[in-house]
Amino acid sequence: MLTTAQVLAENNFGDTRTGGLAGPMGLFLIVLLATATVLLIRNMNARLRRLPDRFPQQAGPADLGHTDGTVVDPTDGTVAQESPTNGSNGSQQRRNG
């Protein structure tokens, strides 16, 4: 009969010493991901350098203190209709009577 220590010490994963491909494959993936990250960062930096300092719609620093006194109604005078509170719900079952 096997003891608990023998069951726990048993190698169920096969021969793990030969054909050690996990280490080199992991290194390859890390180098590949690092290279892709560096290339993406360089590409984004080049794109950001090509952007203008200000876009035409932006207000300049002198316009920041000036505020417009008009207030716009977001509903434009329309009132949303409320749903009835006692209406039937789709999850309720109908009773046949």
Side-chain angles (χ1 to χ4, degrees):
M1 201 179 236
L2 294 175
T3 64
T4 306
Q6 289 174 338
V7 171
L8 292 175
E10 187 177 333
N11 183 4
N12 292 326
F13 300 107
D15 188 12
T16 57
R17 296 191 185 267
T18 59
L21 187 62
M25 185 60 74
L27 178 64
F28 171 73
L29 288 175
I30 289 172
V31 169
L32 181 72
L33 288 172
T35 305
T37 303
V38 167
L39 291 175
L40 283 171
I41 290 171
R42 288 181 63 201
N43 186 11
M44 286 295 112
N45 282 336
R47 287 177 179 265
L48 286 174
R49 281 189 205 111
R50 287 185 291 205
L51 287 175
D53 289 336
R54 283 201 181 96
F55 292 103
Q57 300 91 346
Q58 270 186 327
D63 294 338
L64 293 178
H66 179 68
T67 58
D68 194 11
T70 61
V71 177
V72 179
D73 184 16
T75 59
D76 292 332
T78 59
V79 178
Q81 293 182 353
E82 295 182 13
S83 60
T85 57
N86 59 357
S88 64
N89 193 351
S91 62
Q92 294 177 348
Q93 295 180 357
R94 295 183 182 174
R95 296 182 182 173
N96 292 332

